[in-house]
């Protein structure tokens, strides 16, 4: 770290450094003052040159990286599917065959609705509530549409224990609010949804009149479910989702639905402890089981079977599915088939494809450099926590204990998943995907009652993202995000700290956000904040909630501060931390001026560059309604408005748009 900084400082050949700074001046909009709108200043040039491609809801730095990775996956998959010598039973054969099966649209089209016909027939034969329950159990086992589900999870209050998670409910729109809100756009979406469902039912063999009536009945059935569901803000409270019970208590929630065969089918003993995140939804399911007409259940199951399979069925199904996606997100045309298929293999055989991706595109030195960055941020955060005068001694000690226990995962899982149970047949695309998803579920359910396996990741290696898991107390950075402009082993430190450093800080920050702060060093839901410290923390979080509630995002729209507070806290804490860690890495030496920018300026430019993205109007609304992440533009602006080091770097003054009044500036560390 130190060596790199000294080397840079001693080099006076600006051109040599330009190539390494990783910053392209043509990305800027220098007609916009940094202190008026830093997001625009840092990204305006790029945004003006890069309109949103018709096939995407949004387009920006992360999406460009994602697209690049998909090109890499395409090369791997085309080579695998063309390799006639690939050994039967090998991962190369599996990913190649699944990709080929997906690409073979002539065959998929020729099959029409045939791949789902047996399921539709089964639904048609339902003649009693008893039959209905039997079909639900059967569909749950086979992975076809089901309003009930059983999964594994770590017990929130004893993270070492893996128990069963039972859920119910079946809403098709992205969030409960879509069923309940009365504004014009919500009403329009519900109208479009009903039309879309009706068209899908016709494709699945229904008559138009009956399909239209069925679609309205489906909306009513799902609306009744939505009414008892928690809001996305309520769900952020882990205590509200914690209802540990035994099999008898579960059965008491649904006296008319027998869970025994559900458990038996997936080999989970009834003695297993169970968490039911939303008991009210289960109760509602039970009452609907008897109260809703069998006709409604039959049509709902037909809809769900067809809709779930549509992306893997013939063109009419695929197109119908796309038509509703287009309404929700504003996309204008379909992606090329190879992109759909690369994503499909990534979802179904993530480790097999990820292993090939990592071998080709993940240099070992990247992992080494990332480890250094993570540890430098950890040291810095430890100092911050230890010196946090607003916290009592014991809270500080608990926070440091939690930080010390953080486990970083970088690049890819050290043990790759065994896919030998997955049957891939290039002639039967839907069946192949089902086989993979059943194996994935079996893998998850097999964890119940066993010690926690820390090997598995929550994202596949090519993913351009990162995450924090409160129950495992780990931060993970897939290989896919470790590339320019986010991370570059050759780039100068200011750029790396401002981009990936702030991401590392963000993920660490999740350990101390509105949700993560409720879990201790062992990943247990437990209050480790003493006295008034929790209240002081909540006051700091409230500052960010107020800030995002007040930000005008255009068209009179606002973020829901309570929904985005965790991510916004992660951004604010992460950026502050990355800046301090970067300064620490300089070891007292000034950072060089490169490309006309001071080190401080490059640091903040790199940060804002990550969030250079534009969204379609529909995608803005979808994100505001459902996504705990603020819009990228406001992740840059909303964060930087609170950061004095940024104001100093660009000489922003009180009264500038990028400076919140000092008494309103939010601060975590
Ligand atoms: Zn996050």
């Amino acid at each position: 770290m130190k060596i790199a900084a000294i080397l840079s400082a001693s080099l006076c050949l600006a051109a040599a450094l330009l190539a390494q700074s990783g910053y392209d001046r043509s990305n800027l909009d220098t007609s916009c003052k940094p202190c008026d709108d830093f997001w625009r200043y840092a990204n305006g040039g790029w945004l003006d040159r890069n309109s949103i491609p018709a096939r995407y809801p949004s387009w920006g730095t992360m999406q460009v990286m994602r697209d690049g990775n998909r090109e890499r996956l395409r090369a791997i998959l085309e080579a695998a599917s063309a390799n006639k010598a690939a050994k039967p039973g090998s991962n190369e054969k599996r990913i190649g065959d699944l990709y080929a099966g997906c690409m073979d649209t002539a065959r998929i089209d020729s099959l029409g609705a045939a791949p789902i016909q047996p399921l539709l027939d089964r639904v048609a034969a339902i003649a009693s509530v008893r039959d209905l329950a039997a079909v639900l159990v059967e569909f749950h086992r086979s992975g076809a549409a089901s309003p009930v589900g059983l999964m594994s999870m770590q017990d929130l209050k004893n993270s070492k224990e893996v128990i069963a998670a039972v859920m119910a409910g079946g809403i098709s729109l992205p969030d409960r609010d879509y069923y309940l809100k009365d504004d014009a756009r919500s009403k329009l979406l519900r109208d479009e949804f009903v039309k879309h469902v009706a068209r899908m039912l016709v494709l699945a063999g229904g008559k138009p009149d009956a399909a239209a009536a069925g679609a309205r009945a489906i909306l009513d059935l799902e609306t009744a479910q939505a009414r008892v569901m928690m809001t996305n803000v309520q769900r952020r409270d882990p205590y509200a989702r914690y209802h540990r019970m035994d099999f008898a208590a579960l059965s008491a929630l649904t006296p008319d639905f027998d869970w025994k065969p559900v458990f038996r089918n997936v080999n989970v003993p009834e003695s297993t402890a169970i968490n039911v995140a939303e008991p009210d939804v289960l109760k509602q399911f039970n009452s609907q089981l008897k109260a809703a007409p069998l006709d409604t259940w039959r049509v709902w199951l037909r809809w769900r079977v067809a809709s779930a399979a549509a992306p893997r069925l013939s063109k009419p199904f695929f197109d119908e599915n796309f038509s509703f996606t287009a309404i929700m997100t504003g996309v204008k045309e379909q992606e090329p088939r190879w992109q759909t298929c690369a994503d499909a293999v990534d979802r179904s055989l993530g480790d097999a494809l990820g292993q090939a991706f990592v071998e080709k595109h993940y240099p070992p030195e990247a992992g080494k450099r990332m480890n250094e960055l993570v540890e430098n941020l950890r040291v810095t955060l430890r100092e911050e926590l230890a010196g946090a005068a607003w916290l009592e001694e014991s809270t500080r000690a608990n926070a440091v204990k939690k930080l010390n226990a953080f486990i970083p995962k970088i690049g890819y899982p050290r043990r790759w998943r065994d896919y030998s149970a997955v049957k891939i047949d290039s002639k039967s695309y839907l069946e192949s995907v089902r086989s993979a998803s059943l194996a994935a579920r079996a893998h998850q359910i097999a964890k119940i009652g066993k010690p926690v396996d820390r090997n598995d990741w929550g994202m596949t290696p090519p993913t351009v993202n990162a995450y924090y898991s409160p129950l495992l107390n780990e931060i993970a950075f897939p290989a896919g995000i470790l590339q320019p402009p986010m991370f570059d082993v050759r780039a100068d430190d200011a750029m790396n700290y401002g981009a990936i450093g702030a991401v590392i800080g963000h993920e660490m920050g999740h350990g101390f956000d509105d949700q993560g702060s409720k879990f201790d060093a062992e990943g247990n839901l437990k209050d480790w904040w003493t006295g008034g410290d929790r209240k002081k923390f909540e006051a700091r979080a409230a500052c960010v909630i107020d800030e995002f509630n007040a930000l005008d995002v255009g068209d009179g729209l606002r973020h829901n501060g309570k929904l985005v507070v965790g991510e916004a806290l992660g951004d604010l804490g992460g950026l502050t931390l990355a800046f301090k860690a970067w300064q620490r890495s300089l070891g007292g030496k000034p950072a060089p001026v490169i490309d006309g920018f001071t080190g401080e300026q490059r640091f903040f430019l790199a940060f804002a560059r990550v969030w250079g993205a534009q969204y379609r109007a529909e995608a803005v609304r979808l994100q505001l309604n459902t996504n705990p992440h603020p819009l990228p533009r406001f992740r840059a602006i909303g964060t930087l408005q609170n950061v004095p080091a940024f104001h100093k770097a660009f000489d922003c003054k009180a009264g500038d748009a990028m400076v919140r009044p000092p008494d309103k500036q939010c601060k975590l560390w």
Side-chain angles (χ1 to χ4, degrees):
M1 200 66 48
K2 246 179 199 170
I3 293 169
I6 293 164
L7 264 181
S8 309
S10 69
L11 280 176
C12 45
L13 291 174
L17 285 164
L18 263 179
Q20 296 183 5
S21 80
Y23 204 83
D24 180 350
R25 268 196 103 93
S26 72
N27 291 338
L28 303 176
D29 174 2
T30 47
S31 71
C32 175
K33 292 202 192 80
C35 302
D36 286 351
D37 181 344
F38 191 70
W39 177 80
R40 175 75 208 172
Y41 172 76
N43 297 298
W46 188 90
L47 294 169
D48 289 349
R49 286 196 310 277
N50 294 276
S51 53
I52 307 173
R55 63 193 184 281
Y56 294 135
S58 62
W59 189 238
T61 303
M62 305 275 263
Q63 290 89 344
V64 170
M65 290 169 70
R66 176 166 173 252
D67 248 26
N69 284 350
R70 291 205 290 190
E71 291 283 0
R72 295 176 188 115
L73 296 181
R74 179 190 198 175
I76 291 167
L77 289 165
E78 285 181 348
S81 64
N83 182 7
K84 298 279 174 280
K87 265 197 250 125
S90 67
N91 274 342
E92 185 184 13
K93 178 86 176 139
R94 269 187 205 105
I95 60 174
D97 282 356
L98 186 60
Y99 183 72
C102 177
M103 290 300 288
D104 189 355
T105 48
R107 182 175 173 82
I108 292 171
D109 288 347
S110 75
L111 294 173
I116 56 169
Q117 200 54 52
L119 296 172
L120 297 174
D121 293 346
R122 194 71 192 83
V123 172
I126 295 172
S128 64
V129 173
R130 235 181 122 89
D131 286 353
L132 169 62
V135 168
L136 296 185
V137 169
E138 197 179 302
F139 279 16
H140 176 259
R141 180 186 54 202
S142 69
S146 171
V148 292
L150 191 158
M151 224 343 120
S152 66
M153 67 178 279
Q154 287 171 268
D155 185 301
L156 299 188
K157 290 190 177 175
N158 176 17
S159 66
K160 289 193 173 57
E161 190 185 1
V162 184
I163 62 172
V166 162
M167 45 268 179
I171 62 168
S172 306
L173 288 167
D175 185 75
R176 74 187 286 281
D177 284 0
Y178 281 88
Y179 294 85
L180 307 174
K181 277 172 39 179
D182 260 341
D183 59 286
R185 166 105 184 138
S186 301
K187 283 182 183 162
L188 172 102
L189 286 177
R190 284 197 291 274
D191 287 347
E192 292 294 340
F193 173 67
V194 167
K195 287 187 226 163
H196 161 62
V197 172
R199 290 192 299 264
M200 195 66 95
L201 288 169
V202 170
L203 289 176
K207 299 237 169 14
D209 281 356
R216 282 190 296 276
I218 287 168
L219 180 67
D220 290 345
L221 186 79
E222 295 193 357
T223 303
Q225 292 265 353
R227 241 180 263 253
V228 298
M229 287 172 75
M230 282 192 263
T231 66
N232 50 21
V233 169
Q234 286 167 335
R235 265 199 305 275
R236 292 189 67 78
D237 178 6
Y239 288 100
R241 300 192 311 262
Y242 188 69
H243 309 279
R244 184 177 160 131
M245 58 185 75
D246 61 12
F247 191 85
L250 169 69
S251 302
L253 287 172
T254 61
D256 298 293
F257 184 76
D258 184 5
W259 289 94
K260 285 195 184 93
V262 174
F263 277 59
R264 201 164 50 231
N265 278 338
V266 288
N267 294 320
V268 175
E270 286 167 29
S271 57
T272 306
I274 302 148
N275 187 61
V276 176
E278 299 197 45
D280 286 349
V281 179
L282 237 63
K283 287 186 206 156
Q284 177 72 323
F285 161 68
N286 187 74
S287 64
Q288 286 185 320
L289 203 56
K290 289 203 307 193
L294 279 179
D295 257 349
T296 301
W297 276 110
R298 279 190 293 258
V299 78
W300 184 84
L301 283 166
R302 276 203 296 279
W303 147 247
R304 294 290 284 223
V305 164
S307 160
R312 289 163 284 281
L313 290 178
S314 62
K315 185 165 161 50
F317 284 94
F318 190 95
D319 288 353
E320 184 50 48
N321 187 64
F322 172 78
S323 77
F324 195 64
T325 304
I327 289 167
M328 292 301 287
T329 65
V331 294
K332 304 280 181 253
E333 62 182 45
Q334 294 174 7
E335 296 178 332
R337 185 72 186 178
W338 73 262
Q339 289 190 337
T340 304
C341 294
D343 283 356
V345 182
D346 181 47
R347 265 196 308 276
S348 286
L349 299 168
D351 271 21
L353 183 56
Q355 186 174 7
F357 176 83
V358 164
E359 278 162 11
K360 267 197 150 68
H361 302 290
Y362 185 65
E365 63 266 29
K368 212 169 143 262
R369 182 82 180 99
M370 266 301 280
N371 256 316
E372 285 169 19
L373 286 167
V374 167
E375 291 314 318
N376 287 346
L377 263 88
R378 195 201 302 254
V379 169
T380 309
L381 182 52
R382 193 179 295 134
E383 278 179 9
E384 291 298 317
L385 290 171
W390 58 285
L391 297 173
E392 285 178 36
E393 182 62 42
S394 68
T395 307
R396 268 182 271 165
N398 284 332
V400 169
K401 193 174 160 204
K402 174 162 183 170
L403 173 73
N404 290 342
F406 270 0
I407 294 178
K409 284 179 162 177
I410 295 167
Y412 55 94
R414 292 309 176 258
R415 196 177 68 241
W416 297 104
R417 181 90 50 92
D418 173 11
Y419 290 112
S420 49
V422 181
K423 285 193 183 60
I424 303 292
D425 176 354
S426 62
K427 293 199 172 52
S428 179
Y429 176 51
L430 182 66
E431 283 309 310
S432 300
V433 171
R434 280 211 187 115
S435 172
S437 92
L438 280 179
R441 193 180 66 181
H443 175 81
Q444 294 303 333
I445 288 179
K447 293 178 178 180
I448 294 172
K450 303 213 179 78
V452 171
D453 179 357
R454 286 196 162 270
N455 180 69
D456 281 1
W457 282 56
M459 290 175 181
T460 64
T463 307
V464 182
N465 211 332
Y467 66 90
Y468 169 73
S469 161
L471 285 145
L472 295 166
N473 198 27
E474 65 187 25
I475 48 177
F477 307 92
I481 197 174
L482 303 179
Q483 55 168 310
M486 194 67 92
F487 169 76
D488 187 349
V489 278
R490 295 156 308 156
D492 92 290
D493 275 1
M495 301 296 292
N496 274 332
Y497 275 93
I500 196 73
V503 173
I504 297 168
H506 171 99
E507 300 309 337
M508 286 184 171
H510 275 317
F512 304 94
D513 73 9
D514 63 320
Q515 301 186 95
S517 61
K518 291 176 177 162
F519 293 83
D520 69 7
E522 274 81 50
N524 294 325
L525 186 56
K526 193 174 159 189
D527 191 6
W528 49 268
W529 299 68
T530 39
D533 284 353
R534 185 78 211 171
K535 285 214 158 50
K536 288 187 216 159
F537 170 81
E538 275 161 12
R540 289 182 180 226
C543 176
V544 172
I545 293 173
D546 292 344
E547 178 189 11
F548 276 84
N549 279 338
L551 274 174
D552 181 2
V553 310
D555 287 342
L557 298 171
R558 296 270 194 279
H559 287 98
N560 178 351
K562 284 186 174 164
L563 177 61
V564 300
V565 59
E567 298 298 334
L569 279 172
D571 284 341
L572 178 59
L575 182 69
T576 312
L577 190 62
F579 186 77
K580 287 180 175 164
W582 170 64
Q583 292 208 306
R584 214 169 176 282
S585 78
L586 294 173
K589 302 262 188 324
V593 172
I594 303 177
D595 198 16
F597 292 115
T598 65
E600 285 78 6
Q601 290 173 333
R602 289 198 307 283
F603 174 92
F604 290 111
L605 280 168
F607 170 74
R609 185 74 194 96
V610 166
W611 305 120
Q614 43 207 347
Y615 275 53
R616 295 184 189 282
E618 295 87 345
V620 165
R621 286 167 191 272
L622 185 61
Q623 174 127 347
L624 293 176
N625 288 337
T626 61
N627 199 314
H629 298 86
L631 292 160
R633 180 174 169 214
F634 297 95
R635 295 185 76 167
I637 294 175
T639 306
L640 291 170
Q641 283 178 330
N642 294 305
V643 178
F646 161 72
H647 304 146
K648 193 170 161 219
F650 285 90
D651 204 20
C652 300
K653 301 272 187 286
D656 287 339
M658 288 302 303
V659 183
R660 261 165 87 75
D663 62 321
K664 287 217 165 121
Q665 278 180 26
C666 309
K667 182 174 158 57
L668 192 54
W669 314 119

